[in-house]
Amino acid sequence: MTAQTHDDAVDMSEFRSTVRAFANAEILPGAAERDESKEFPAHLMRRLAEQDLMGISVPEEFGGLGLSTRAQLVAVEEVARADAALASIYTAHYLGLEPILVGGTEEQKKRWLPGLASGEVLAGFALTEPDAGSDIASMRTVARREDDGWHLSGSKTFISNAREADLVVLFAKTDPSAGFRGITAFAVPKGTPGISYSEPQDKMGIRSAPTYTVYLDDVVLPHDAVIGTEGRGGNIALTALNRARIDVAAMANGIALRAWELGREYASERKQFGHPIFEFQAIQLLLGECDAKLVASRVTADWASDVKDAGQDLRRAASISKFVATEACFSIVDQVVQIHGGAGFMRESEIERLYRDCRILRIFEGTSQIQLLTIAGNAPSIRSTEY
Ligand SMILES: Cc1cc2nc3c(=O)[nH]c(=O)nc-3n(C[C@H](O)[C@H](O)[C@H](O)COP(=O)(O)OP(=O)(O)OC[C@H]3O[C@@H](n4cnc5c(N)ncnc54)[C@H](O)[C@@H]3O)c2cc1C
C-alpha cells in the first residue's frame, strides 16, 4: 500500500513542538503517580483524541489526518518521552487499527476507521496465547462457522487495552489443521457476550497500561466479523505487526530522549571532587554514546517509515528499526542510571521508572531474537547491489 500523505501542509518541527508542549503540560507531570496507582489514564486518552492524534497516518478518506508515518512517529516519541505507559496504550491502539486498514473490506474500513481515527473507538489487538507467543501458528483459540455466526472458544494473554478497548481485533483458528494458513482475524466489539477478563496483570513497568488474559467461552460473532477473508489472519497479523513495530521504535526513541535529558541535567547539577560530574570525561563518553545511539535509532526509524509509506516490503526495515531502537534505548537508560549513581536506583528518581518501563520494548511485538531472525531471513542476496 502506498500512502497518500499530506505532510506538505504540516511543519514537522512545529508539530513536534505542539505535541511536546501538550505532553509536558498534561502527561509528564502525573506519570510517576500513575506508575504507582496503575490506574488506566482514560482522561489522557480522551485528550489525545481531542488533540487529533489517534489516526495520524490513517488516510483522510477514512477520517484520519492522512499524514506520513514519520508524523505518527513524532507523536509516539513525544508521548513516550512523557509517559511510556501511555505510549503503550496509544501504540496498542494503532496496532489494533492496522488489521482493518491493511486487511479489512471497504465496508469494514468505512464502518470502523473513522471512529478509530477520531479516538471515539479505542482499539486492541489479541494474538498472543498462553502457549503461543512467538510461534503464532500454534494458537489454540478456535472459531467454528455455524448458521447463526462464528463461535469462538479459547484464551488470549498479555492483551493490552483488552477491557478498555471498544474494538479488539482477535485472531483464531478457523482451520485448526492448517497452521498459519488456518488463522482468521475477527472484529470483536466491546460487550460481546461470552468474553471475560482476568484482573489487570501486575507488571515490572508500564504499570498504568493494563494487560489482561481474555477468556472466550462460546463467543458468537456475526459472519461479517471476519476481517478480510477466512484464512488470511496470519498474514494480516504479521503485516500489522510489521507496520506497528516502527511505532515501538519511536516509543524507544522517546524514552531514550527523556533518559538523555535526565542524564545531561543530573551531570550538570551533581558535584563530586569539587566539580560537576559533567566535567569528567568518563561521563561525557557515556552521554556522547547515548546521543550517537539515539540519533542512529531515529534515522533508522525514519528510514523504515519511508519504506512503509513507499509501499515497499517492510519486513526487514521494520525489524531493523525495532531492534536497533529498543536495544539502544535499554543501553541508553542503563547508562543514565549509571550517571545517577545510587540516586538512579531509588524509586523516587524518574530514571528508575524509565529503566523498568523500557524493558518490555525488547519483548513485545516480537522479541529482539525474532526481529533478528526476520532480518536474516529478508536480507538482500550477497549478489545484490542493494547494500
Ligand atoms: C506488557 C505486554 C503487553 C503485550 N501486549 C500484547 C498485545 O496487546 N497483544 C498481543 O497479542 N500480545 C501482547 N503481548 C505479548 C507479546 O507480544 C509476547 O510476549 C511476545 O511476542 C513474546 O511471546 P512470549 O512471551 O510467549 O515468549 P516466547 O515466544 O515463549 O519466547 C520466550 C523466549 O524464547 C525466544 N524464542 C522463541 N522462539 C524463538 C526462535 N524461533 N528462535 C530464537 N529464540 C526464540 C524468545 O526470543 C524469548 O527470548 C504483550 C506482552 C507484554 C509483556
Side-chain angles (χ1 to χ4, degrees):
M1 182 200 304
T2 306
Q4 296 291 320
T5 64
H6 295 274
D7 280 13
D8 294 351
V10 176
D11 176 328
M12 274 309 150
S13 63
E14 211 174 284
F15 180 56
R16 185 183 290 279
S17 299
T18 308
V19 184
R20 184 167 302 182
F22 162 71
N24 278 342
E26 300 193 32
I27 302 174
L28 191 60
E33 285 73 38
R34 290 190 295 275
D35 173 58
E36 203 59 46
S37 70
K38 297 184 265 176
E39 203 174 306
F40 180 80
H43 65 292
L44 287 176
M45 291 310 295
R46 263 195 310 278
R47 290 293 292 139
L48 288 173
E50 282 163 14
Q51 305 295 309
D52 228 350
L53 297 175
M54 300 297 279
I56 296 172
S57 63
V58 173
E60 280 182 309
E61 60 173 312
F62 299 119
L65 295 185
L67 297 178
S68 66
T69 300
R70 280 191 187 215
Q72 186 163 304
L73 297 197
V74 167
V76 172
E77 241 191 50
E78 292 302 326
V79 172
R81 175 185 161 275
D83 182 358
L86 185 69
S88 182
I89 297 166
Y90 184 44
T91 53
H93 168 78
Y94 275 111
L95 172 61
L97 69 76
E98 283 288 357
I100 296 170
L101 197 56
V102 300
T105 61
E106 280 305 296
E107 197 278 316
Q108 287 169 333
K109 290 181 190 178
K110 283 188 189 130
R111 186 180 349 153
W112 289 111
L113 288 174
L116 290 162
S118 72
E120 203 180 304
V121 175
L122 181 69
F125 179 94
L127 181 66
T128 306
E129 297 186 1
D131 293 319
S134 304
D135 176 16
I136 66 167
S138 65
M139 74 170 57
R140 293 200 197 142
T141 298
V142 288
R144 220 178 44 253
R145 191 189 179 100
E146 298 205 357
D147 289 347
D148 62 343
W150 289 96
H151 288 237
L152 278 70
S153 296
S155 67
K156 298 283 168 184
T157 197
F158 304 150
I159 307 306
S160 309
N161 303 353
R163 203 151 87 186
E164 293 76 16
D166 304 288
L167 179 74
V168 171
V169 172
L170 187 139
F171 298 84
K173 283 268 180 77
T174 43
D175 181 354
S177 62
F180 185 79
R181 291 199 170 78
I183 300 172
T184 298
F186 293 89
V188 186
K190 190 178 201 154
T192 303
I195 300 185
S196 56
Y197 310 91
S198 68
E199 286 302 305
Q201 294 164 308
D202 199 9
K203 305 195 295 299
M204 174 196 292
I206 56 166
R207 287 161 63 82
S208 60
T211 60
Y212 303 89
T213 296
V214 180
Y215 305 97
L216 300 113
D217 182 12
D218 197 26
V219 171
V220 184
L221 296 172
H223 288 125
D224 68 358
V226 168
I227 296 175
T229 51
E230 204 181 318
R232 289 272 305 147
N235 246 305
I236 290 173
L238 292 190
T239 306
L241 279 167
N242 275 325
R243 293 164 64 89
R245 276 170 187 160
I246 316 174
D247 289 336
V248 180
M251 204 175 144
N253 293 337
I255 299 172
L257 171 60
R258 182 66 187 152
W260 178 79
E261 289 170 5
L262 293 171
R264 281 294 302 259
E265 219 169 79
Y266 190 82
S268 308
E269 286 162 7
R270 174 71 174 167
K271 284 198 179 115
Q272 286 295 279
F273 302 97
H275 295 271
I277 59 170
F278 184 71
E279 289 178 14
F280 303 134
Q281 215 173 35
I283 298 291
Q284 291 172 17
L285 293 179
L286 289 179
L287 285 168
E289 193 178 329
C290 291
D291 190 17
K293 282 182 170 161
L294 176 53
V295 169
S297 299
R298 264 189 171 174
V299 169
T300 311
D302 280 346
W303 161 67
S305 305
D306 293 346
V307 172
K308 176 181 156 204
D309 288 348
Q312 294 163 0
D313 186 341
L314 182 61
R315 286 171 292 184
R316 174 167 163 263
S319 286
I320 290 177
S321 74
K322 181 179 187 277
F323 175 76
V324 167
T326 59
E327 294 290 333
C329 175
F330 189 65
S331 152
I332 290 168
V333 172
D334 184 52
Q335 288 186 334
V336 174
V337 169
Q338 200 67 16
I339 290 170
H340 279 68
F345 196 68
M346 296 298 134
R347 286 302 286 261
E348 68 206 38
S349 75
E350 188 175 343
I351 195 65
E352 184 269 348
R353 173 166 48 82
L354 266 53
Y355 188 82
R356 289 184 286 105
D357 282 349
C358 78
R359 188 61 185 85
I360 185 57
L361 302 179
R362 293 159 64 212
I363 297 172
F364 66 13
E365 298 196 26
T367 64
S368 287
Q369 290 69 38
I370 295 299
Q371 306 310 325
L372 290 174
L373 291 173
T374 305
I375 295 163
N378 292 283
S381 113
I382 51 169
R383 279 179 293 280
S384 137
T385 51
E386 258 185 69
Y387 264 115

